[in-house]
């Protein structure tokens, strides 16, 4: 499974729209087997969705995401886990182990945002 | 702490809690130290959750990652006022805000961190949208007086259930107007079907509209219901009605009068309750006078007649239409183009749009293909606009109002030249009163030759 995270330095990018860097990691049997960095243009949602398709990304973890791009991303079939904050590596390894990202949710955000699909 | 200081501190706290601007302070490590009531409301984050967290986790502005105003303030020791940006609140809504930042210092002048105040502009945006709503019906937008007159009666027209005739040049939005009438009517839950009558020969048009029975003609192997049947209790737009044959007009008239139709090859008549909207880019009244359109059908469909003006007669709508197309294309193409640049807009305002609104929409779509930035610029416009308009292009105009004025001035000069400087004829061509023309001549300092067009006097 491939997972993408919008990153800002070693942290998750605070706002999806302003993000420019994407970390794409491949997870097999709860292990991170590869990592790739891709640059992308924030705000051009169609190109971003196409990039996710090309990279065969199934899950996107990002920071604050407003409803319009959230709907577009969901409609493309990608599982979106928004409003996540913190150290990228910590979040990635948490996710690889199959754990919820509750403790990495942004303050004030609803709990349901950061749960993975069953 | 002295008693007076205590009182001042308490007063400051009360003020901070009672104002409607969000305020928070951060330390040198970007951790939030204080967070007022309005900040809680605007961001949707409670103070207990916010304090101690990094400001970007709570504030969630599109400036955080790049051009952070607070960072600049703290670095340069200066205040920055009213930067426009947006945040994403806890309900996944984008909130437009303005931000002011200052370095935070103690009484000794030592830097403690920074303070950020922000104002929610959602209400202003909402009011702006509401105001704009007065200039919008369905997908149509307009500030023009002619269109406003139509907008004002459109609800009554829609509810009336009468046949409507829409006239207008190609690309003026006849189908959009028909859809708006349908969606405002009591039939809105029923289908809306549009057919271009001019594109089909008589027999095919009749079989499309009324359907046919098996065996009605070669290859008619089974019954096929027509569009009247598919529309049910809905609305049918008969576009380009002026291009239909006299024989078809007779058949249509009978359907409209008897409210029943006969599928091809059938002996039985079927009742129909479809609302008819007819549209044409011809002057049907003139066609009737010339004997090119049946008078009886004309009077049957001409119960309510709406005339859509061409875009060159409603140039004031161009900025609004451009904005509307940008919004639509952003939605459809998943883009975030924000506007058209000043120079590009000047070119758009100088063009005369033979293809009307459809042409303008295509120009914006062309811009979307070439533009990978936030703004559609001159280089993103189709070449024919730049090629044909350079002489009309003003050097540089700093505002939309200035660009409109330049366009107006050019139109007046052109009309005067075409009418050999006859002011009355030029005013008539421009659709304005002679006194308005004189006022505008004075305003733009247009001097006229001694020849006035009314006579051969020089």
């Amino acid at each position: 499974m491939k997972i993408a995270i919008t990153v800002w330095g070693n942290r998750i990018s605070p706002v999806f729209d302003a993000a420019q860097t994407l970390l794409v990691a491949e997870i097999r049997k709860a292990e991170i087997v590869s990592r790739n960095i891709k640059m992308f243009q924030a705000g051009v949602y169609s190109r971003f969705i196409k990039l996710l398709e090309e990279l065969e990304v199934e899950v996107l973890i990002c920071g604050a995401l407003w409803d319009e791009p959230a709907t577009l991303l969901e409609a493309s079939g990608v599982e979106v886990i928004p409003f996540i904050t913190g150290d990228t590596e910590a979040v990635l390894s948490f996710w690889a182990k199959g754990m919820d990202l509750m403790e990495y949710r942004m303050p004030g955000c609803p709990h349901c945002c950061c749960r993975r699909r069953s | 702490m002295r008693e007076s200081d205590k009182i001042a501190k308490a007063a400051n706290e009360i003020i901070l809690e009672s104002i409607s601007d969000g305020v928070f302070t951060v330390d040198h490590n970007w951790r939030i130290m204080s967070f007022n009531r309005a900040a809680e409301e605007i961001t949707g984050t409670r103070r207990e959750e916010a304090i101690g967290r990094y400001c970007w986790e709570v504030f969630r502005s599109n400036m955080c990652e790049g051009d952070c105003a607070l960072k600049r303030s703290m670095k340069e020791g200066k205040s920055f006022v009213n930067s426009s940006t947006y945040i994403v609140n806890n309900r996944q809504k984008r909130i437009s805000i303005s931000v002011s930042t200052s370095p935070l210092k103690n009484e000794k002048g030592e830097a403690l961190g920074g303070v950020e105040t922000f104002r929610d502009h959602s209400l202003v945006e909402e009011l702006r949208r509401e105001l704009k709503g007065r200039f919008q019906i369905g997908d149509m937008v307009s500030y023009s007086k002619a269109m406003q007159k139509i907008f004002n009666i459109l609800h009554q027209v829609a509810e009336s259930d009468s046949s409507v005739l829409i006239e207008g040049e190609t690309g003026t939005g006849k189908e959009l107007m028909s859809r708006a009438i349908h969606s405002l009517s009591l039939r809105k839950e029923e289908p809306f079907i549009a057919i271009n009558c001019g594109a089909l020969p008589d027999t095919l048009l009749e079989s499309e509209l009324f359907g046919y029975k098996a065996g009605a003609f070669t290859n008619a192997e089974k019954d096929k219901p027509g569009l009247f049947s598919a529309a049910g209790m809905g609305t049918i737009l008969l576009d380009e009605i002026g291009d239909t044959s006299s024989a078809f007009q007779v058949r249509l008239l009978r359907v409209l009068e008897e409210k029943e139709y006969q599928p091809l090859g059938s002996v039985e008549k079927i009742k129909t309750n479809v609302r008819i909207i007819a549209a044409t880019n011809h002057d049907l009244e003139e066609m009737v006078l010339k004997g090119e359109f049946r008078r009886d059908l004309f009077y049957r469909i001409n119960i309510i007649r709406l005339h859509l003006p061409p875009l060159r007669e409603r140039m004031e709508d161009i900025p609004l239409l451009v904005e509307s197309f940008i919004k639509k294309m952003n939605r459809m193409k998943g883009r975030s183009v924000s506007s058209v640049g000043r120079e590009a807009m000047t070119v758009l305002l100088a063009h005369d749009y033979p293809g009307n609104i459809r042409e303008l929409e295509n120009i914006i779509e062309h811009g979307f293909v070439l533009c990978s930035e936030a703004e559609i610029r001159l280089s993103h416009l189709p070449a024919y606009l730049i090629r044909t308009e350079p002489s009309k292009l003003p050097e540089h105009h700093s505002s939309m109002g200035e660009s409109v004025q330049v366009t107006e001035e050019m139109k007046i000069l052109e009309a005067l030249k075409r009418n050999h400087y006859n002011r009355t004829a030029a005013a008539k061509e421009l659709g304005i009163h002679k006194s308005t023309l004189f006022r505008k001549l004075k305003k733009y300092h247009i001097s006229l030759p001694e020849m006035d067009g009314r006579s051969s006097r020089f």
Side-chain angles (χ1 to χ4, degrees):
Chain A
M1 168 195 259
K2 279 192 180 169
I3 174 171
I5 306 178
T6 49
V7 295
W8 176 41
N10 58 354
R11 301 186 159 276
I12 294 183
S13 186
V15 175
F16 171 79
D17 275 1
Q20 292 172 1
T21 315
L22 193 68
L23 168 70
V24 182
E26 189 169 359
I27 297 168
R28 277 192 222 144
K29 293 178 185 166
E31 292 289 328
I32 303 156
V33 293
S34 71
R35 282 180 180 81
N36 268 308
I37 291 286
K38 293 271 174 194
M39 302 307 286
F40 71 99
Q41 197 181 353
V44 187
Y45 305 129
S46 57
R47 278 194 209 160
F48 182 70
I49 288 169
K50 207 172 166 200
L51 177 68
L52 294 185
E53 270 172 24
E54 282 167 7
L55 297 169
E56 297 172 339
V57 168
E58 290 173 54
V59 179
L60 171 72
I61 295 175
C62 60
L65 175 69
W66 61 292
D67 49 8
E68 205 167 289
T71 311
L72 287 171
L73 285 161
E74 290 277 2
S76 74
V78 175
E79 180 182 352
V80 185
I81 302 168
F83 291 97
I84 300 298
T85 184
D87 181 80
T88 312
E89 284 304 315
V91 170
L92 190 56
S93 66
F94 230 69
W95 180 266
K97 286 175 195 153
M99 293 155 87
D100 261 349
L101 299 177
M102 287 287 288
E103 66 179 83
Y104 292 99
R105 76 183 171 90
M106 284 179 158
C109 291
H111 294 212
C112 54
C113 281
C114 39
R115 286 177 196 259
R116 62 168 74 206
R117 282 182 198 158
S118 56
Chain B
M1 191 184 282
R2 286 181 303 171
E3 193 60 28
S4 59
D5 290 343
K6 278 184 191 171
I7 292 168
K9 196 182 170 208
N12 282 343
E13 276 172 17
I14 291 167
I15 292 167
L16 272 177
E17 285 305 285
S18 60
I19 57 173
S20 56
D21 285 4
V23 182
F24 67 84
T25 55
V26 294
D27 62 18
H28 288 295
N29 298 314
W30 310 104
R31 299 275 185 182
I32 291 178
M33 296 192 294
S34 66
F35 202 70
N36 78 339
R37 182 198 52 81
E40 286 185 306
E41 274 176 23
I42 300 169
T43 62
T45 305
R46 284 184 296 123
R47 187 173 322 189
E48 306 86 85
E49 283 191 86
I51 288 175
R53 301 297 296 255
Y54 288 118
C55 53
W56 60 79
E57 295 179 337
V58 178
F59 193 50
R60 301 184 288 262
S61 148
N62 64 331
M63 296 199 307
C64 294
E65 197 171 315
D67 187 29
C68 172
L70 192 54
K71 190 176 177 180
R72 269 192 292 149
S73 265
M74 286 164 68
K75 196 176 168 189
E76 298 174 27
K78 285 197 293 195
S79 296
F80 292 98
V81 183
N82 274 339
S83 313
S84 288
T85 182
Y86 67 83
I87 60 165
V88 182
N89 75 3
N90 69 329
R91 290 180 296 281
Q92 278 194 287
K93 296 290 171 210
R94 203 163 88 153
I95 312 281
S96 300
I97 55 163
S98 61
V99 166
S100 298
T101 55
S102 283
L104 186 67
K105 292 175 182 170
N106 64 14
E107 293 142 350
K108 294 174 194 164
E110 295 163 342
L112 299 175
V115 58
E116 181 148 341
T117 61
F118 52 104
R119 183 167 293 176
D120 183 351
H121 285 299
S122 322
L123 187 61
V124 178
E125 294 285 319
E126 206 175 299
L127 290 171
R128 192 176 289 159
R129 272 198 299 275
E130 205 170 292
L131 196 63
K132 202 180 276 177
R134 285 169 49 195
F135 305 108
Q136 178 164 14
I137 288 190
D139 285 332
M140 289 179 302
V141 289
S142 182
Y143 288 135
S144 91
K145 277 186 184 166
M147 290 299 289
Q148 282 298 311
K149 273 186 188 169
I150 297 177
F151 284 5
N152 289 343
I153 58 163
L154 210 61
H155 280 89
Q156 287 140 286
V157 170
E159 284 165 19
S160 72
D161 228 26
S162 303
S163 297
V164 180
L165 173 62
I166 303 173
E167 289 179 333
E169 287 180 14
T170 183
T172 47
K174 296 187 288 291
E175 185 169 339
L176 276 186
M177 176 66 78
S178 312
R179 282 185 189 278
I181 292 172
H182 173 72
S183 59
L184 292 171
S185 74
L186 298 172
R187 299 170 184 262
K188 65 181 176 198
E189 302 298 329
E190 304 292 329
F192 172 88
I193 293 172
I195 182 166
N196 187 328
C197 302
L200 301 171
D202 269 16
T203 45
L204 196 53
L205 181 58
E206 283 183 30
S207 74
E208 280 295 308
L209 284 175
F210 310 128
Y212 55 78
K213 301 297 267 183
F217 48 83
T218 316
N219 292 333
E221 286 165 4
K222 53 184 180 182
D223 293 359
K224 182 192 172 238
L227 296 180
F228 269 81
S229 165
M233 303 266 285
T235 307
I236 286 186
L237 165 65
L238 301 174
D239 203 358
E240 309 300 359
I241 190 96
D243 294 338
T244 54
S245 72
S246 183
F248 174 79
Q249 290 169 23
V250 174
R251 191 129 197 239
L252 183 63
L253 178 67
R254 192 166 299 160
V255 173
L256 293 178
E257 283 185 339
E258 294 171 11
K259 292 199 177 292
E260 52 186 22
Y261 63 94
Q262 218 170 349
L264 289 175
S266 172
V267 288
E268 283 172 27
K269 287 186 173 175
I270 299 172
K271 288 273 176 206
T272 178
N273 188 21
V274 169
R275 182 183 196 180
I276 301 287
I277 298 178
T280 179
N281 57 5
H282 298 294
D283 182 344
L284 279 196
E285 206 164 352
E286 201 181 312
M287 286 179 77
V288 169
L289 289 174
K290 287 181 184 168
E292 292 167 353
F293 195 85
R294 288 190 66 95
R295 184 178 296 272
D296 42 12
L297 180 61
F298 173 69
Y299 286 119
R300 188 65 191 79
I301 57 177
N302 184 29
I303 298 171
I304 296 160
R305 188 168 10 165
L306 303 174
H307 178 76
L308 296 182
L311 186 52
R312 64 182 170 279
E313 288 175 16
R314 39 182 284 214
M315 298 296 272
E316 67 271 38
D317 282 342
I318 288 175
L320 189 63
L321 286 164
V322 165
E323 192 187 325
S324 152
F325 293 143
I326 287 177
K327 258 189 200 163
K328 180 180 155 189
M329 285 176 207
N330 273 339
R331 212 165 43 236
M332 281 166 56
K333 297 176 191 290
R335 297 278 299 273
S336 57
V337 172
S338 60
S339 58
V340 164
R342 198 181 296 150
E343 285 188 330
M345 183 58 87
T346 308
V347 169
L348 293 180
L349 287 167
H351 187 54
D352 61 357
Y353 299 95
N356 287 300
I357 302 169
R358 191 178 291 129
E359 185 184 357
L360 178 62
E361 186 171 10
N362 291 346
I363 290 170
I364 300 300
E365 189 167 355
H366 183 282
F368 259 72
V369 173
L370 300 185
C371 165
S372 55
E373 305 142 38
E375 197 176 74
I376 295 177
R377 296 174 191 280
L378 204 56
S379 58
H380 304 136
L381 296 182
Y384 75 90
L385 284 180
I386 322 287
R387 215 172 31 238
T388 56
E389 307 296 341
S391 59
K392 294 181 182 179
L393 248 181
E395 294 286 310
H396 176 77
H397 301 287
S398 57
S399 69
M400 184 78 71
E402 231 176 294
S403 306
V404 172
Q405 283 183 9
V406 170
T407 313
E408 191 174 58
E409 188 183 341
M410 285 190 307
K411 292 273 171 201
I412 290 171
L413 277 168
E414 283 166 8
L416 282 165
K417 276 182 203 161
R418 266 196 302 275
N419 292 286
H420 309 291
Y421 295 95
N422 181 327
R423 288 79 151 161
T424 313
K428 198 174 172 189
E429 184 192 313
L430 291 164
I432 56 176
H433 194 267
K434 203 165 77 173
S435 57
T436 312
L437 177 65
F438 277 111
R439 196 163 36 79
K440 288 186 186 291
L441 291 176
K442 201 174 167 191
K443 179 181 167 188
Y444 297 127
H445 308 290
I446 299 173
S447 51
L448 297 171
E450 285 199 13
M451 172 188 81
D452 73 354
R454 285 172 298 185
S455 66
S456 54
R457 181 166 52 91
F458 285 92

